[in-house]
Structure formats: structure tokens, C-alpha cells
């Protein structure tokens, strides 16, 4: 919990995003109080207590703090700014949400002529400040509340597109962002008239603003025929699904308003609806058809593609392995697949069977880098299926959680950029560096733009967090080591006890280097020369000791104390003090390099190899120096204790350290088969040795 509070308040944290604004407001007169009353926000603003996910060595915990009144600086003015920006950014991404607030609500709240206006706009527009505002909102449950609110609205997925009534439907300039500007102008007007829109995004934004306290009435739908629904309450919002009535009368019609892709929130079961929104103006494909396309593609990819992680040349790669593929797929499907996947077309071709027709090929050929027009329905279906392929392949990096949680993406299918960028990465090779895996997952789960540069393999990128969405190695979730599985997990709850870089990227810290000292050659003594008490504390030569640790270790996640950057590591606490820190990446490498033991032990007629057994209390005795022996490997018995196993494995992997999951003899004999780039001589073994009793091949035969 100390690390969590430290992470929240640090320069890399997620509290204090409105402190600069609060400082200014307390010193300069402004008309905010009067405007606050006209919007009724002085009585209705909804503030939430902190509720965040904390990853611990005992598993994930939910931390609750009764601090709602302290949210966003504890000042009603900054609380309005914070909650409003969070509501807008949930639909239109952080920077665009801040810009909309600064341009269309801030002048109303503080006065057009206020000397504060320019300064107030500059504060939240700073990227670091806006990210802190969004993350604080996520830590207080605002994003989860917005997700639930959108689901309860039960708005139809299929509406009349983004273009407002009376305009040319082919005019792609008028997207959802300019239309949101009209809603904000209407909110600031002293009128009780209903606001009509043709965009479900506008209806959702209205619902988010309503739930945080803005004076917005009922949110209704109307098919556009006959009389509108009634009776209407004050300041109602009507989503118009058809007809020719005028809508969105106050939308901004200037080129100064950008039209970036929306931040699309979706689940596995609503991917079809998300794809329809990502297609923009093309609205004559039923969302049910797109959902069927996605489920068929997802099932095919899940059945025929596996991911295996390996550690090679000091780096971790995820390797694709295709299996059970028809070597002679339909030629039409191959030609369709090769448009985006030229190297893997034969593997991916069956995903296009539902559109395996010449008329589709004629419509999509040569258009992979062009803007899609509103009447290009076949091109739209093709791009949607291609997005299904990309999402399905990426989902296998986090197979256990992808179907269960909410996701966010900035997928835009009427423009060529997202598909071209992501598919080129997926098609380029069968091996992906760990930072590339993290960024690919972030693009379909967190909403990171596909236009940015992929982190280099040497960046030690291991995770990403933005708002409620996180991508993390599964080991961090429960701090357990596994000899069988290595994968990522997707979270849709705010992960609190971590510091991130400005864009949300999380890198592994380096393991704190320690000195090595040779064990006294008069020591270690053979077991017979030591008393029972001495064997409990002093190193000795003998068969590997399979016992549990002789002292406890608490493991926490945090930034090492000797670091100036917000990198993530494991911090070991022994007898109330820090025993050392290890990098997450080093532990991941140790796990992968240790997966050499067979499931069934073949037996070892020569008996166990001699080692120097070093108890955990002796290992932790000197923080900055660890024992080493030139004749025998060091064996640290930590039987069943994952905290000790993680800690010692991270400290020793660069000196040839390995984790023993079942059989020390198997781990030793198979050591030479590892191609790691680290030192070849086995210097250390970490005796986790838990799970099913190890059987020999003779016992299995019997």
C-alpha cells in the first residue's frame, strides 16, 4: 500500500492533474460560481471514492479509500474540470476530449473575457497533465461507470451514420468530433429544448455528462417518422435513426475541429458493432453479419495458431506456429488474403471464405491504401474481415482474458492507416519481440494509436496502462511461476501500484547488480561434519535440499529506490528491510530458460548431483554480495515459495541461474540445451520443486 500511495503522488503518478489549475483559480476572480449554479452542478456533481486494483504477492486486491471529497484537487471547480474531461475522453480520446472541453465549456464556465482563459486551457492540454486527470478518473471508477451507462442505454448499433440530416452523406468531413461540439454548446445554453442528433456517439457522451451531474434529461431514440417521442423532459437528447428532419444544429462547421477516430469500447460479443462504427459512413452492413464474420475468423485462428515464447540471445520472442492448415486453400481466398498478408496468405486464406467471390476481389483490388467511400460496401466488408483477422491473431497473446473483458481501440476502417500498419507487422515475421507484443495488444485493448513507432526490442517494455485498461504479463497478476504457460493478460480495472511513462508504457527495471564472493574452501563442509543446527543455517555440500525456505520474504511491485525512471521491478522485503530488487524482464527470462525439464523424469541411476545448499536466510544475509562456488552449483531451496523463487531467479539469471520446477537432476542434465546468450556454466539452481510428485519412466511403465 505504501508503494501504491507513492505511485499515485509521484511525478509519474495519477493524482494531482488539476493542482496547477486549482492554484490559479484560488488567486484570480472569475464568474465560475454563478455559471456552476446555472448548470446545477453545484448540487449534482457526482464524486467517486478511489477504488483501484493492487497487485500483491497474495494475489490481486481491490483498495478502497473513502476520499471522494478529495477527488481532482478537492475544489468544486477543478472537480468539474476533471469529471467533464474524463466523460469526453472516454468517447473521443484524451487530448481531443481536453480540446473540446477547453473550447466549448471552459469559456462559458469562466467567462470569455477572463484573463485566466488562455492559461487555464494550456494546463490540461499538457500531455502529462491530461493523462493524470484521466488516470485519476479511472482510479475513481468513472470509466467503469461510463461503460455501464452505455450498456444500459441500449442504443441501436445501426443508425444513420455520422452525417447530420440535410447534408451530403458523402461529405466525410463531418464526423463525430465536430458533432460533439454542438452538444456542448447546447448544454451551456439556458434552454429546455431537446437536442436531436444522428450519432450514437453524441447520445453516449450526453449520457456520460448526465451521470457525472450535468443537467441532461432523457435520452431517447426516434425512427424519424411521424411525431417525435414525448412527452419530453427538460433538455432531452433524441437519437434520430431515419427520416429527413434537421439534426445537430449547433455542430462546429470549422476546419479547426479535428475529426480523429473515436475511442471504441467493445467486448468479444460486441466486436461486430465496434467494426460497424469503425467503418464510419458505411452503414448498410448489419452488425450481426460482422459479428458472425468475427466469430468465424476468431474460431479459425484460435484452432490453427498457437504462440510459443522463447528466450534467445538475451531477448524474449513470441513465435507463431500454424498447425493443421489446408495446403491447398481456395485460390480466390488466397488472393484476398494476400492483399494485407502477402507472406501468410495461405494460412489466413480460409478467413475470407464468406466473401470468396470475384465481385469482392474486383472491388478491393488496388484500394488497400485509399480512403473508403460511403457506397463501397464490399470494400467495407473486406476491411472488416481483415480487422477480424488482426484482432484474432493479437488476442492469442492474451488468450485467457481476451474473451472476458472490455477493450478499447482506435480502429478506423474508412481510412487505410490502421490496417496497413498493424497487418504489415503481423505479416512480417513469425517471431515478435516482447515490446512488439505489448504494443500490438495495446492497440486492440487499450486504444493506443497504430501510427506510433514500435518499441525497439532493447527497450525492456513489458506492460502498458492507460485508464482502466492494462496489458501485463500473467506472472504479475498472481506472482506465480509456471513451467507450462507464459502469456499476457488484459485488465479492465485500474491498476494502481505502478508508475508509467507519459504515454502509459511500462518498462522493466534492471536487476540491481551484486558482487559475488567465493565460498571459503574450508567450507562448505560435507553434511556429516555439520551439526543439525549448523545444517539449518550454513552452506553445505550434498544432494539438493528440497525443503521450504527457512525464513519468509515479502515481494512487492514498485520502482527500485536507486532508480530515477518509472521502471517496474520486484522489491524483496526481508525482516522489515529491503533485501534487493530484481527486474521483471530478468524473471521472465529465467522462467523461459528453465522450461527444460521433461514432464516425466526418466530416472537417474547415478544418483543426484552434488550441490552447495544455501538456505534462504544465508542467501539474504548479505544484500550486496552472494555466494558462488567454482566446483559445485549453488542450490537455494525455496520449495513451493514463489516469492523467494522470483527473487532469487531474477538475481541469478545472468550468472546461469535456473528454476527447478520438479527434478533437480533433469534441470541439470537439460541445462546445456538452452540457447540463452547468458553464461553457459550452471552456477545457481532455485529449488521451487512443487506440484505433482515427479514420476520416473520406470514408475510410469509399471
Amino acid at each position: 500500500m505504501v508503494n501504491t500511495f507513492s505511485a499515485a503522488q509521484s511525478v509519474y503518478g495519477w493524482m494531482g492533474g488539476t493542482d496547477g489549475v486549482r492554484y490559479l483559480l484560488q488567486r484570480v476572480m472569475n464568474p465560475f460560481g454563478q455559471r456552476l449554479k446555472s448548470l446545477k452542478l453545484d448540487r449534482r456533481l457526482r464524486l467517486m471514492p478511489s477504488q483501484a486494483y493492487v497487485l500483491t504477492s497474495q494475489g490481486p486486491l481491490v483498495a478502497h479509500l473513502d476520499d471522494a471529497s478529495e477527488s481532482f484537487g478537492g475544489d468544486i471547480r477543478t472537480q468539474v474540470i476533471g469529471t467533464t474531461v474524463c466523460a469526453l475522453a472516454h468517447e473521443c480520446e484524451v487530448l481531443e476530449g481536453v480540446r473540446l472541453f477547453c473550447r466549448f465549456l471552459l469559456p462559458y464556465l469562466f467567462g470569455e473575457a477572463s484573463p485566466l482563459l488562455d492559461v487555464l486551457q494550456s494546463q490540461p492540454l499538457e500531455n502529462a497533465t491530461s493523462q493524470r486527470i484521466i488516470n485519476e478518473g479511472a482510479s475513481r471508477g468513472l470509466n467503469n461507470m461510463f461503460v455501464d451507462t452505455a450498456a444500459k442505454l441500449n442504443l441501436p448499433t445501426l443508425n444513420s451514420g455520422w452525417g447530420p440530416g440535410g447534408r451530403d452523406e458523402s461529405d466525410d468531413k463531418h464526423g463525430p468530433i465536430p458533432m460533439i461540439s454542438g452538444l456542448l454548446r447546447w448544454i451551456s445554453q439556458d434552454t429546455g429544448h431537446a437536442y436531436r442528433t444522428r450519432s450514437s456517439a453524441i447520445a453516449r457522451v450526453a449520457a456520460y455528462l448526465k451521470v457525472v451531474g450535468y443537467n441532461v434529461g432523457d435520452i431517447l431514440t426516434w425512427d424519424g417518422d411521424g411525431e417525435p417521442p414525448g412527452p419530453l423532459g427538460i433538455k432531452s437528447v433524441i437519437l434520430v435513426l431515419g427520416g429527413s428532419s434537421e439534426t445537430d444544429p449547433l455542430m462546429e462547421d470549422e476546419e479547426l475541429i479535428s475529426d480523429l477516430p473515436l475511442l471504441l469500447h467493445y467486448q468479444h460479443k460486441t466486436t461486430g458493432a465496434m467494426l460497424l462504427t469503425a467503418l464510419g459512413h458505411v452503414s448498410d452492413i448489419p452488425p450481426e453479419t460482422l459479428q458472425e464474420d468475427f466469430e468465424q475468423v476468431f474460431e479459425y485462428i484460435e484452432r490453427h495458431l498457437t504462440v510459443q515464447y522463447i528466450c534467445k540471445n538475451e531477448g524474449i520472442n513470441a513465435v507463431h506456429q500454424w498447425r493443421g492448415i489446408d495446403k491447398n486453400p481456395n485460390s480466390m481466398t488466397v488472393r484476398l488474403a494476400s492483399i494485407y498478408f502477402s507472406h501468410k496468405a495461405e494460412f489466413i486464406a480460409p478467413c475470407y471464405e464468406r466473401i470468396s467471390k470475384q465481385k469482392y476481389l474486383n472491388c478491393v483490388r488496388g484500394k488497400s491504401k485509399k480512403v473508403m467511400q460511403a457506397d463501397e460496401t464490399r470494400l467495407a466488408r473486406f476491411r472488416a474481415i481483415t480487422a477480424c483477422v488482426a484482432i484474432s491473431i493479437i488476442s492469442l497473446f492474451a488468450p485467457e482474458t481476451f474473451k472476458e473483458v472490455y477493450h478499447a481501440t482506435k480502429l478506423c476502417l474508412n481510412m487505410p492507416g490502421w490496417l496497413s500498419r498493424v497487418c504489415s507487422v503481423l505479416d512480417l515475421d513469425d517471431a515478435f519481440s516482447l515490446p512488439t507484443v505489448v504494443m500490438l495488444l495495446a492497440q486492440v485493448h487499450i486504444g493506443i494509436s497504430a501510427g506510433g513507432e514500435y518499441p525497439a526490442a532493447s527497450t525492456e517494455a513489458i506492460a502498458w496502462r492507460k485508464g482502466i485498461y492494462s496489458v501485463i504479463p500473467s506472472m504479475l497478476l498472481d506472482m506465480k511461476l509456471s513451467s507450462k504457460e507464459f502469456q499476457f493478460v488484459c485488465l479492465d480495472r485500474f491498476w494502481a501500484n505502478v508508475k508509467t511513462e507519459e504515454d502509459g508504457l511500462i518498462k522493466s527495471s534492471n536487476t540491481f547488480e551484486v558482487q559475488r564472493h567465493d565460498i571459503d574452501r574450508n567450507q562448505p563442509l560435507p553434511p556429516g561434519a555439520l551439526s543439525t543446527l549448523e545444517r539449518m543455517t550454513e552452506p553445505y555440500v550434498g544432494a539438493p535440499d528440497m525443503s521450504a525456505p527457512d525464513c519468509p520474504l515479502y515481494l512487492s511491485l514498485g520502482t527500485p529506490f536507486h532508480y530515477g525512471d518509472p521502471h517496474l521491478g520486484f522489491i524483496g522485503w526481508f525482516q522489515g528491510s529491503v533485501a534487493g530488487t530484481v527486474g521483471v524482464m530478468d524473471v521472465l527470462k529465467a522462467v523461459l530458460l528453465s522450461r527444460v525439464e521433461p514432464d516425466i523424469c526418466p530416472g537417474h541411476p547415478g544418483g543426484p548431483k552434488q550441490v552447495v545448499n544455501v538456505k534462504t536466510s544465508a542467501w539474504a544475509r548479505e544484500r550486496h554480495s552472494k555466494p558462488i562456488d567454482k566446483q559445485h552449483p549453488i542450490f537455494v531451496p525455496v520449495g513451493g515459495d514463489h516469492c523467494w523463487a522470483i527473487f532469487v531467479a531474477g538475481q541469478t539469471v545472468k550468472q546461469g541461474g535456473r528454476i527447478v520446477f520438479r527434478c533437480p537432476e533433469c534441470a541439470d542434465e537439460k541445462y546445456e540445451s538452452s540457447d540463452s546468450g547468458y553464461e553457459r556454466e550452471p552456477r545457481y539452481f532455485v529449488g521451487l520443486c512443487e506440484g505433482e510428485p515427479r514420476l520416473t519412466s520406470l514408475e510410469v511403465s509399471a
Side-chain angles (χ1 to χ4, degrees):
M1 294 307 298
V2 170
N3 283 344
T4 301
F5 295 136
S6 173
Q9 299 294 340
S10 75
V11 68
Y12 302 105
W14 37 272
M15 289 287 193
T18 57
D19 286 352
V21 174
R22 183 186 60 185
Y23 179 86
L24 290 169
L25 293 177
Q26 290 173 344
R27 286 159 176 79
V28 182
M29 294 294 295
N30 60 82
F32 183 88
Q34 180 182 351
R35 303 289 170 81
L36 194 66
K37 292 180 180 179
S38 67
L39 291 175
K40 298 183 173 57
L41 283 170
D42 56 331
R43 301 190 305 271
R44 300 174 52 167
L45 186 65
R46 186 170 183 177
L47 303 176
M48 307 280 285
S50 296
Q51 179 175 311
Y53 221 42
V54 179
L55 303 185
T56 76
S57 56
Q58 278 74 47
L61 302 176
V62 179
H64 298 268
L65 288 177
D66 188 15
D67 62 346
S69 62
E70 301 173 21
S71 61
F72 299 110
D75 186 302
I76 183 65
R77 296 167 293 188
T78 54
Q79 288 167 341
V80 168
I81 293 173
T83 54
T84 306
V85 167
C86 287
L88 295 173
H90 188 75
E91 192 75 17
C92 16
E93 232 280 325
V94 179
L95 189 56
E96 203 57 48
V98 171
R99 287 171 177 162
L100 285 167
F101 172 76
C102 289
R103 182 162 183 187
F104 298 104
L105 285 180
L106 202 61
Y108 172 78
L109 292 171
F110 294 98
E112 294 279 0
S114 172
L116 274 176
L117 197 58
D118 289 339
V119 179
L120 287 175
Q121 290 189 36
S122 68
Q123 288 272 336
L125 280 170
E126 294 176 356
N127 193 43
T129 300
S130 62
Q131 292 293 342
R132 290 167 78 93
I133 292 173
I134 297 306
N135 284 328
E136 179 171 355
S139 74
R140 298 185 180 281
L142 290 181
N143 294 92
N144 297 100
M145 184 171 66
F146 298 150
V147 167
D148 293 340
T149 298
K152 291 175 182 177
L153 280 176
N154 198 27
L155 296 176
T157 304
L158 188 60
N159 56 38
S160 297
W162 301 125
R167 294 186 182 272
D168 184 357
E169 291 185 359
S170 65
D171 185 0
D172 292 343
K173 183 179 70 173
H174 302 288
I177 303 300
M179 297 172 80
I180 291 173
S181 68
L183 175 73
L184 300 182
R185 283 176 164 169
W186 169 77
I187 285 176
S188 64
Q189 290 181 352
D190 186 16
T191 176
H193 296 308
Y195 191 81
R196 297 182 184 181
T197 181
R198 292 189 182 274
S199 171
S200 58
I202 310 309
R204 289 192 296 271
V205 171
Y208 304 153
L209 293 172
K210 177 180 179 179
V211 80
V212 299
Y214 277 83
N215 186 24
V216 176
D218 297 331
I219 300 172
L220 309 169
T221 59
W222 177 38
D223 62 9
D225 294 330
E227 293 296 320
L232 297 175
I234 297 176
K235 294 191 84 68
S236 296
V237 175
I238 302 175
L239 175 60
V240 182
L241 305 178
S244 58
S245 62
E246 183 180 356
T247 62
D248 301 278
L250 301 177
M251 69 172 286
E252 182 68 32
D253 199 21
E254 298 178 11
E255 296 182 358
L256 294 176
I257 296 294
S258 65
D259 191 17
L260 297 174
L262 291 175
L263 189 63
L264 307 178
H265 302 267
Y266 69 104
Q267 293 175 284
H268 183 274
K269 64 183 180 182
T270 63
T271 304
M274 180 273 291
L275 291 170
L276 182 64
T277 305
L279 288 170
H281 287 269
V282 180
S283 58
D284 56 350
I285 305 175
E288 295 80 8
T289 298
L290 297 177
Q291 184 65 28
E292 290 172 2
D293 288 340
F294 172 70
E295 291 178 359
Q296 177 175 303
V297 169
F298 193 93
E299 190 273 335
Y300 171 83
I301 296 294
E302 191 176 41
R303 190 172 69 250
H304 293 286
L305 181 62
T306 58
V307 178
Q308 180 182 6
Y309 290 87
I310 62 172
C311 183
K312 189 172 183 179
N313 298 325
E314 301 191 24
I316 296 178
N317 289 327
V319 180
H320 277 169
Q321 296 177 329
W322 294 90
R323 58 186 181 183
I325 303 295
D326 181 4
K327 297 301 181 182
N328 297 300
N330 182 303
S331 62
M332 185 63 67
T333 60
V334 173
R335 294 169 72 183
L336 288 168
S338 64
I339 293 175
Y340 281 101
F341 300 97
S342 58
H343 294 93
K344 301 178 182 178
E346 290 189 356
F347 299 118
I348 294 172
C351 298
Y352 292 90
E353 286 180 353
R354 285 165 64 95
I355 59 170
S356 179
K357 299 179 177 65
Q358 185 66 44
K359 59 184 179 182
Y360 273 92
L361 184 60
N362 293 340
C363 291
V364 304
R365 187 188 289 125
K367 295 184 179 180
S368 62
K369 297 183 179 180
K370 294 184 178 180
V371 176
M372 186 173 63
Q373 302 303 313
D375 59 349
E376 294 185 290
T377 303
R378 293 192 180 102
L379 178 60
R381 179 91 179 275
F382 167 75
R383 286 190 178 180
I385 291 177
T386 303
C388 293
V389 174
I391 293 171
S392 299
I393 292 175
I394 295 170
S395 75
L396 292 183
F397 296 129
E400 290 190 359
T401 55
F402 197 86
K403 289 184 179 180
E404 310 300 326
V405 301
Y406 277 94
H407 312 280
T409 181
K410 295 175 77 173
L411 174 65
C412 179
L413 294 178
N414 63 341
M415 303 294 288
W418 197 97
L419 281 182
S420 296
R421 179 69 167 155
V422 173
C423 293
S424 65
V425 174
L426 294 174
D427 188 50
L428 185 62
D429 203 347
D430 284 327
F432 307 89
S433 69
L434 205 66
T436 297
V437 170
V438 170
M439 188 158 187
L440 286 169
L441 278 169
Q443 288 165 353
V444 300
H445 174 65
I446 297 178
I448 300 302
S449 172
E453 291 296 324
Y454 281 73
S458 59
T459 58
E460 301 286 295
I462 55 164
W464 210 303
R465 186 200 69 190
K466 191 172 184 180
I468 61 172
Y469 298 112
S470 300
V471 170
I472 67 172
S474 59
M475 180 185 68
L476 299 185
L477 195 61
D478 55 10
M479 297 196 195
K480 302 288 186 186
L481 301 180
S482 171
S483 63
K484 297 185 181 298
E485 297 181 354
F486 179 100
Q487 58 184 249
F488 283 85
V489 295
C490 297
L491 298 180
D492 59 1
R493 298 183 183 181
F494 183 75
W495 172 23
N497 58 326
V498 66
K499 301 174 186 177
T500 76
E501 298 199 349
E502 194 172 277
D503 58 358
L505 182 65
I506 299 167
K507 297 180 182 179
S508 171
S509 68
N510 295 322
T511 297
F512 188 76
E513 295 293 338
V514 296
Q515 295 179 349
R516 309 287 163 177
H517 64 267
D518 290 332
I519 294 177
D520 187 347
R521 290 315 299 154
N522 295 321
Q523 297 283 345
L525 298 174
L530 294 174
S531 67
T532 302
L533 182 60
E534 288 173 324
R535 288 187 62 185
M536 294 176 62
T537 58
E538 298 300 324
Y540 69 92
V541 175
D545 183 350
M546 310 291 279
S547 64
D550 65 340
C551 57
L553 178 86
Y554 180 77
L555 206 63
S556 65
L557 286 172
T559 300
F561 301 135
H562 62 281
Y563 253 65
D565 295 317
H567 296 175
L568 187 65
F570 293 104
I571 303 175
W573 298 82
F574 178 69
Q575 296 180 347
S577 300
V578 174
T581 61
V582 295
V584 175
M585 187 70 84
D586 284 329
V587 179
L588 296 177
K589 291 174 181 177
V591 172
L592 292 176
L593 292 171
S594 302
R595 292 181 174 180
V596 296
E597 300 173 51
D599 292 334
I600 299 175
C601 175
H604 305 280
K609 183 177 180 178
Q610 298 285 286
V611 299
V612 178
N613 290 288
V614 178
K615 293 287 190 177
T616 51
S617 59
W619 181 266
R621 191 178 299 153
E622 296 186 47
R623 176 181 174 183
H624 300 293
S625 183
K626 300 301 176 187
I628 196 169
D629 188 75
K630 296 179 180 179
Q631 184 175 352
H632 302 288
I634 302 292
F635 190 91
V636 183
V638 300
D641 191 309
H642 287 262
C643 289
W644 268 113
I646 288 172
F647 185 65
V648 179
Q651 286 188 318
T652 61
V653 66
K654 292 181 180 178
Q655 285 72 40
R658 299 290 186 271
I659 303 163
V660 179
F661 289 102
R662 291 178 292 276
C663 173
E665 291 78 34
C666 288
D668 178 57
E669 291 178 3
K670 297 293 184 181
Y671 181 92
E672 289 298 330
S673 64
S674 298
D675 181 13
S676 65
Y678 289 127
E679 293 186 29
R680 305 289 296 182
E681 183 65 26
R683 301 283 184 87
Y684 298 94
F685 286 108
V686 185
L688 182 58
C689 304
E690 70 166 4
E692 298 294 327
R694 64 184 194 276
L695 299 177
T696 68
S697 56
L698 295 177
E699 291 172 319
V700 172
S701 299

